[in-house]
Amino acid sequence: KYEEAIKIYGGALTLDSENLEASTNLENCRLALKQQKAHEREERIKYEMDQGLAAFRSGKMKSALAAFDKVLELDPANDTALAYAEKIRPRIPGIIKGTVRDLEIEKPVANATIMLIKDEKPAGNTFTNSSGEFEFPEVDPGEYTLLAACDKFEKFEERETVLPDKTLSLTIKLSPSGNNIPTVKGTPIFPYITEKLNIAVLNLDVSNVDKGLSESISDKLSEALVASRRVRVVERKEIDKIIKEQ
């Protein structure tokens, strides 16, 4: 209890500034306290370093970075912690969250589909809740195209940049549209499918559906896909020709 002893000896010197014993003991306590804190600091550094290395080996990069940052708070010149932190930091996932609202009446849009596209490939999708909120809790750093769609609204598309260990907060406003987006079990269809040949073949089972209705469904889906400007509708023989040319 060096701190308590320092107070006592300090009080004694206040009453008797010439008290040699109190003065000597005060200096000894101060030195001992300094050594104790240095030892505790070294032990803390070692503990956090061990935690960081264990997390790194287990692939838990966020936990590893937190531990190495604590080491650097205690010892800013620690080369090992600095090297690991610089290696890990660019790889820490970011977060995308936001709210989708009706542009005209500013009300939340529930059940909107939110999709992330990276390098022309789907990188994740989710849906808004009853409050129009959505979240992607772990997104690799980089450039993305964010798409949002909901029945009776125009599709929304925007480029976004996700930074390491940062949260990107968005407010998306959808413009109402008189056209309905085709849905499957209530989920808007995203005509954004990329395969090696850039061909998506959709087989519709209409064996138990009236012929006129099945043709109407096919026409509606084809029109929606073409209108998106991301795909075109071709005949089966043209698909076969493309495949043979690959």
Side-chain angles (χ1 to χ4, degrees), residues 45-61 63-68 71 78 80-81 83-85 88:
I45 289 173
K46 183 179 183 303
Y47 172 79
E48 294 296 346
M49 182 66 74
D50 289 342
Q51 292 291 106
L53 292 172
F56 181 81
R57 295 189 189 103
S58 301
K60 300 176 181 178
M61 297 303 161
S63 297
L65 181 60
F68 291 128
V71 172
N78 191 301
T80 302
Y84 272 102
I88 294 171

Side-chain angles (χ1 to χ4, degrees), residues 201-231:
V201 179
L202 179 62
N203 293 318
L204 297 178
D205 183 5
V206 293
S207 56
N208 296 319
V209 180
D210 177 81
K211 182 178 180 181
L213 178 59
S214 68
E215 291 177 352
S216 175
I217 293 173
S218 298
D219 290 343
K220 182 180 179 182
L221 182 58
S222 299
E223 289 172 2
L225 292 173
V226 174
S228 72
R229 298 181 181 178
R230 295 191 179 278
V231 297

Side-chain angles (χ1 to χ4, degrees), residues 155-174:
K155 187 182 70 175
F156 174 91
E157 179 174 335
E158 188 171 84
R159 292 288 292 173
E160 302 292 350
T161 300
V162 178
L163 299 176
D165 202 24
K166 299 293 183 182
T167 298
L168 177 63
S169 297
L170 303 172
T171 298
I172 297 172
K173 296 186 178 182
L174 299 182

Side-chain angles (χ1 to χ4, degrees), residues 18 48 59-60 65 75 114 123 193 198 210:
E18 301 297 326
E48 294 296 346
K60 300 176 181 178
L65 181 60
D75 181 12
I114 313 296
I193 304 172
N198 292 319
D210 177 81

Side-chain angles (χ1 to χ4, degrees), residues 18-242:
E18 301 297 326
N19 189 318
L20 182 59
E21 182 180 2
S23 178
T24 301
N25 289 337
L26 178 61
E27 290 304 315
N28 289 338
C29 285
R30 284 174 174 169
L31 178 60
L33 179 61
K34 183 178 181 180
Q35 292 173 341
Q36 182 186 65
K37 288 187 174 181
H39 177 71
E40 290 175 350
R41 174 176 170 275
E42 292 301 320
E43 288 295 311
R44 184 65 180 176
I45 289 173
K46 183 179 183 303
Y47 172 79
E48 294 296 346
M49 182 66 74
D50 289 342
Q51 292 291 106
L53 292 172
F56 181 81
R57 295 189 189 103
S58 301
K60 300 176 181 178
M61 297 303 161
K62 201 161 188 174
S63 297
L65 181 60
F68 291 128
D69 280 344
K70 288 180 181 177
V71 172
L72 292 171
E73 288 177 8
L74 297 167
D75 181 12
N78 191 301
D79 291 337
T80 302
L82 186 61
Y84 272 102
E86 289 179 347
K87 182 178 182 179
I88 294 171
R89 202 177 302 280
R91 299 159 58 184
I92 298 296
I95 298 172
I96 298 178
K97 65 179 182 179
T99 304
V100 178
R101 308 186 73 84
D102 186 312
L103 178 63
E104 293 186 356
I105 60 177
E106 286 292 330
K107 285 188 176 181
V109 177
N111 299 317
T113 301
I114 313 296
M115 178 177 283
L116 292 178
I117 305 296
K118 185 175 184 180
D119 299 329
E120 299 298 317
K121 296 179 181 179
N125 69 281
T126 188
F127 303 92
T128 57
N129 60 19
S130 59
S131 299
E133 300 168 336
F134 68 92
E135 181 174 343
F136 294 95
E138 290 194 1
V139 184
D140 290 338
E143 297 285 334
Y144 292 84
T145 297
L146 185 144
L147 305 174
C150 191
D151 192 22
K152 298 182 180 179
F153 287 91
E154 296 287 347
K155 187 182 70 175
F156 174 91
E157 179 174 335
E158 188 171 84
R159 292 288 292 173
E160 302 292 350
T161 300
V162 178
L163 299 176
D165 202 24
K166 299 293 183 182
T167 298
L168 177 63
S169 297
L170 303 172
T171 298
I172 297 172
K173 296 186 178 182
L174 299 182
S175 300
S177 169
N179 299 322
N180 294 345
I181 297 175
T183 62
V184 175
K185 296 183 179 180
T187 301
I189 296 172
F190 265 107
Y192 203 109
I193 304 172
T194 303
E195 300 292 346
K196 290 182 180 179
L197 302 180
N198 292 319
I199 298 172
V201 179
L202 179 62
N203 293 318
L204 297 178
D205 183 5
V206 293
S207 56
N208 296 319
V209 180
D210 177 81
K211 182 178 180 181
L213 178 59
S214 68
E215 291 177 352
S216 175
I217 293 173
S218 298
D219 290 343
K220 182 180 179 182
L221 182 58
S222 299
E223 289 172 2
L225 292 173
V226 174
S228 72
R229 298 181 181 178
R230 295 191 179 278
V231 297
R232 62 192 178 95
V233 178
V234 299
E235 295 181 358
R236 179 68 204 188
K237 62 181 180 180
E238 186 173 347
I239 294 176
D240 293 336
K241 180 181 178 182
I242 294 172

